Amino acid sequence: MQRSLSFVLVPLLVAGSASAQTVPPATASVAPAATISAAPDFGSRALELPALLRGEIAYDAFFSAGFRQAIPQDKFVALTAQIGGAAGKAVSLEDMTMTGPRTGQVRLRFERAIVTMAMTVDPDSPHLVTRLSITGLSAAEKSVDEVLSAISRLPGNTGFALARLDGDQLRFVHLQGADRAMAIGSEFKLVILAELVRALTAGERHWDDMITLDGRALPPGGYMAKPAGTRISLRELATQMISISDNSATDILIATLGRAKIEKMLSVVGIADPTGMRPFLTTLDAFKLKSLAAAGKIDWAKMAEAARRKALDGDLGKADVAIVSAAPAGVRAPRFIDTIEWFASPADMVRVMDWLRRHTESGPAADARAILAKNPGIGPAAAGGWNYVGFKGGSEPGVIALAFLLQAKDGSWWAASGSWNDATHEIDGLRFASLIGRAIELAKPHG
């Protein structure tokens, strides 16, 4: 499930680039835009960036008062430390792409990655930086095989799958631990979207169907505090569930579509072992179970499926949300990720993305593609080589999983999925995301 940090890499890596991507229509050729040159003061600040990120330039001497107010120095230091953990030390300026004389994208080489930042410089002396936001982080590996080698050296369990999707045929191109079922966090929400797509295609549901909240308890999210009687469209719920992984929207959709119907979709969409997601938990179910397990009040792993269903329909389902406990402050250790979760392999999730591709080509369910593309999950450098990027990820301490549906500029379709689990230690999700993003960047067809 998504943690409160909201899947740390997503807001960090794709700020300002989360608009839906669509395949551009064929049009008459357009003359290329004139190249914009950087003002000398912008170039000077760009050259200083590596030293700033290494802590060799004073924060107050680099950023404007407005920037310092919006992002205090301690928060900036914490952010750069997070980037450093994944990418190593900042080394040098690679290049710049300008959208104006004093605003543009700068690419910095770090020890283990290339980091892209959007920067704006004040035109007035002393030309302080008024905007600096990270828009992409890509590992420095030079081939998909190098990426897979780096993934294989991570502690715990990892897996990766990349496939070309030709009509009804799926051909795996790269596989590494791809059939290993692992905890996938919020990736499970793709199965809910698949059931909605099925229902839309069958005419059982419509995007504009309105759902009326009945006052039942919901997990944290945009609808948790909404009063009974609030009406929300299926389109809005699906959009929030996929684009920002809203847990309250997710649980409303599970209640609306039905647990049993969602479970029937597991084998339909390509989950090789559906028992890893049966019974199909709501996010609130998972929160309650982890809290009860932490208190020694339930042993979910030893319960048969029938006993689990009885618990969900009985005492557990009726238990007050107050039983949900957070991990102790400052503790980020994995909690029951090998027993209380949703489990699927990277190959499973590639098949899920392929099913969604094939069932959203036309008709009422076609809008699901735009929903999948609202948050591409990778930075512009990796996404820029593709016409379309659909994405859903999931994370919590010890878990990260990323799944992508991709259309290349030559019109071919692809899907990729990667997962990393470590049941004993927190993982470096940013490093893993940079590796998967790099694999996607390298895998794009040429020509």
Side-chain angles (χ1 to χ4, degrees), residues 397-428:
V399 174
I400 185 169
L402 311 170
F404 296 87
L405 177 63
L406 307 155
Q407 188 182 39
K409 293 187 182 297
D410 65 5
S412 60
W413 283 93
W414 301 72
S417 176
S419 297
W420 179 15
N421 285 186
D422 190 330
T424 58
H425 298 90
E426 174 61 305
I427 58 181
D428 187 347

Coordinates of all heavy atoms in Angstrom, one line a residue, residues 397-428:
P397 N 7.6 0.5 3.6 CA 8.9 0.1 4.0 C 9.2 -1.4 3.6 O 8.4 -2.3 3.9 CB 8.9 0.3 5.5 CG 7.9 1.5 5.7 CD 6.9 1.3 4.6
G398 N 10.3 -1.6 2.9 CA 10.7 -2.9 2.5 C 10.1 -3.3 1.1 O 10.4 -4.4 0.6
V399 N 9.3 -2.5 0.5 CA 8.6 -2.8 -0.7 C 8.6 -1.7 -1.7 O 8.4 -0.5 -1.3 CB 7.1 -3.2 -0.5 CG1 6.3 -3.4 -1.8 CG2 6.9 -4.4 0.4
I400 N 9.0 -2.0 -2.9 CA 8.7 -1.1 -4.1 C 8.4 -1.9 -5.3 O 9.0 -3.0 -5.5 CB 9.9 -0.1 -4.3 CG1 9.5 0.9 -5.4 CG2 11.2 -0.9 -4.7 CD1 10.5 2.0 -5.5
A401 N 7.4 -1.5 -6.0 CA 7.0 -2.2 -7.3 C 6.5 -1.1 -8.3 O 5.8 -0.2 -7.9 CB 5.9 -3.2 -7.0
L402 N 7.0 -1.3 -9.5 CA 6.7 -0.3 -10.6 C 6.2 -1.1 -11.8 O 6.9 -2.0 -12.2 CB 7.9 0.5 -10.9 CG 8.7 1.1 -9.7 CD1 10.0 1.7 -10.2 CD2 7.9 2.2 -9.1
A403 N 5.1 -0.7 -12.4 CA 4.7 -1.3 -13.6 C 4.3 -0.2 -14.7 O 3.7 0.8 -14.3 CB 3.4 -2.1 -13.4
F404 N 4.7 -0.5 -15.9 CA 4.6 0.5 -17.0 C 4.0 -0.1 -18.2 O 4.3 -1.3 -18.6 CB 6.0 1.1 -17.4 CG 6.7 1.8 -16.3 CD1 7.5 1.2 -15.4 CD2 6.5 3.2 -16.2 CE1 8.1 1.9 -14.4 CE2 7.2 3.9 -15.2 CZ 8.0 3.2 -14.3
L405 N 3.1 0.7 -18.9 CA 2.6 0.4 -20.2 C 3.2 1.4 -21.2 O 3.0 2.6 -20.9 CB 1.1 0.4 -20.3 CG 0.4 0.1 -21.6 CD1 0.8 -1.2 -22.2 CD2 -1.1 0.3 -21.5
L406 N 3.8 1.0 -22.2 CA 4.6 2.0 -23.1 C 4.3 1.8 -24.5 O 4.1 0.7 -25.0 CB 6.1 1.7 -22.9 CG 6.6 1.7 -21.4 CD1 7.9 0.8 -21.3 CD2 6.9 3.1 -20.9
Q407 N 4.2 2.9 -25.2 CA 4.1 2.9 -26.7 C 5.3 3.7 -27.3 O 5.5 4.8 -26.9 CB 2.8 3.4 -27.3 CG 2.7 3.2 -28.8 CD 1.5 3.7 -29.4 OE1 1.1 4.8 -29.1 NE2 0.9 3.0 -30.4
A408 N 6.1 3.0 -28.1 CA 7.2 3.6 -28.7 C 6.8 4.5 -29.8 O 5.7 4.5 -30.3 CB 8.2 2.5 -29.2
K409 N 7.8 5.3 -30.3 CA 7.5 6.3 -31.3 C 7.2 5.6 -32.7 O 6.7 6.2 -33.6 CB 8.6 7.3 -31.5 CG 8.7 8.2 -30.2 CD 9.7 9.3 -30.4 CE 9.8 10.2 -29.1 NZ 8.5 10.9 -28.8
D410 N 7.6 4.3 -32.8 CA 7.3 3.6 -34.0 C 6.0 2.9 -34.0 O 5.6 2.1 -34.9 CB 8.4 2.5 -34.3 CG 8.5 1.4 -33.3 OD1 7.7 1.4 -32.3 OD2 9.5 0.6 -33.4
G411 N 5.2 3.1 -32.9 CA 3.9 2.6 -32.7 C 3.8 1.2 -32.0 O 2.7 0.8 -31.6
S412 N 5.0 0.6 -31.7 CA 5.0 -0.7 -31.0 C 4.7 -0.5 -29.5 O 4.9 0.6 -29.0 CB 6.3 -1.4 -31.2 OG 7.4 -0.6 -30.7
W413 N 4.1 -1.5 -28.9 CA 3.7 -1.5 -27.5 C 4.6 -2.4 -26.7 O 5.0 -3.4 -27.1 CB 2.2 -1.9 -27.4 CG 1.2 -0.9 -27.8 CD1 0.6 -0.7 -29.0 CD2 0.7 0.2 -26.9 NE1 -0.2 0.4 -29.0 CE2 -0.2 0.9 -27.7 CE3 0.9 0.6 -25.6 CZ2 -0.9 2.0 -27.2 CZ3 0.2 1.7 -25.1 CH2 -0.7 2.4 -25.9
W414 N 4.9 -1.9 -25.5 CA 5.7 -2.6 -24.6 C 5.2 -2.5 -23.2 O 4.4 -1.7 -22.8 CB 7.1 -2.0 -24.6 CG 7.8 -2.0 -25.9 CD1 7.5 -1.2 -27.0 CD2 8.9 -2.8 -26.4 NE1 8.3 -1.5 -28.1 CE2 9.2 -2.5 -27.7 CE3 9.6 -3.8 -25.7 CZ2 10.1 -3.1 -28.4 CZ3 10.6 -4.5 -26.5 CH2 10.9 -4.1 -27.8
A415 N 5.6 -3.4 -22.3 CA 5.3 -3.3 -20.9 C 6.5 -3.7 -20.1 O 7.3 -4.6 -20.5 CB 4.1 -4.2 -20.5
A416 N 6.7 -3.1 -18.9 CA 7.8 -3.4 -18.0 C 7.3 -3.4 -16.6 O 6.4 -2.7 -16.2 CB 8.9 -2.4 -18.2
S417 N 7.9 -4.2 -15.8 CA 7.6 -4.2 -14.4 C 8.8 -4.7 -13.5 O 9.6 -5.6 -14.0 CB 6.5 -5.2 -14.1 OG 6.2 -5.3 -12.7
G418 N 9.0 -4.0 -12.4 CA 10.1 -4.4 -11.5 C 9.7 -4.3 -10.1 O 8.8 -3.5 -9.7
S419 N 10.2 -5.2 -9.3 CA 9.8 -5.3 -7.8 C 11.1 -5.5 -7.0 O 12.0 -6.2 -7.4 CB 8.8 -6.4 -7.6 OG 7.6 -6.1 -8.2
W420 N 11.0 -5.0 -5.8 CA 12.1 -5.2 -4.8 C 11.5 -5.4 -3.5 O 10.7 -4.5 -3.0 CB 13.1 -4.1 -4.9 CG 14.3 -4.2 -3.9 CD1 14.7 -5.3 -3.2 CD2 15.2 -3.1 -3.5 NE1 15.8 -5.0 -2.4 CE2 16.1 -3.7 -2.6 CE3 15.3 -1.8 -3.9 CZ2 17.1 -2.9 -2.1 CZ3 16.3 -1.0 -3.4 CH2 17.2 -1.6 -2.4
N421 N 11.8 -6.5 -2.8 CA 11.3 -6.7 -1.4 C 12.5 -7.0 -0.5 O 13.4 -7.7 -0.9 CB 10.3 -7.9 -1.3 CG 8.9 -7.6 -1.9 OD1 8.1 -8.5 -1.8 ND2 8.7 -6.5 -2.5
D422 N 12.4 -6.5 0.7 CA 13.4 -6.8 1.8 C 12.6 -6.8 3.1 O 12.2 -5.8 3.5 CB 14.6 -5.9 1.8 CG 15.7 -6.4 2.7 OD1 15.3 -7.1 3.7 OD2 16.8 -6.1 2.5
A423 N 12.3 -8.0 3.6 CA 11.5 -8.1 4.8 C 12.2 -7.7 6.1 O 11.5 -7.6 7.1 CB 11.0 -9.6 4.9
T424 N 13.5 -7.4 6.0 CA 14.2 -7.1 7.2 C 14.7 -5.7 7.3 O 15.0 -5.2 8.4 CB 15.4 -8.1 7.4 OG1 16.2 -8.0 6.2 CG2 14.9 -9.5 7.5
H425 N 14.8 -5.1 6.2 CA 15.4 -3.7 6.1 C 14.6 -2.8 5.2 O 14.0 -3.3 4.2 CB 16.9 -3.7 5.7 CG 17.8 -4.5 6.6 ND1 18.0 -5.8 6.4 CD2 18.5 -4.1 7.7 CE1 18.8 -6.3 7.4 NE2 19.1 -5.3 8.2
E426 N 14.6 -1.5 5.5 CA 14.1 -0.5 4.5 C 15.0 -0.5 3.3 O 16.1 -0.9 3.3 CB 14.1 0.9 5.2 CG 13.7 2.0 4.2 CD 12.3 1.9 3.7 OE1 12.0 0.9 3.0 OE2 11.5 2.9 3.8
I427 N 14.4 -0.2 2.2 CA 15.1 -0.2 0.9 C 15.2 1.2 0.3 O 14.5 2.1 0.7 CB 14.3 -1.1 -0.1 CG1 12.9 -0.7 -0.3 CG2 14.4 -2.6 0.3 CD1 12.1 -1.5 -1.3
D428 N 16.1 1.3 -0.6 CA 16.4 2.6 -1.3 C 15.5 2.7 -2.5 O 15.9 2.3 -3.6 CB 17.9 2.7 -1.6 CG 18.2 4.1 -2.2 OD1 17.3 4.9 -2.5 OD2 19.4 4.4 -2.3

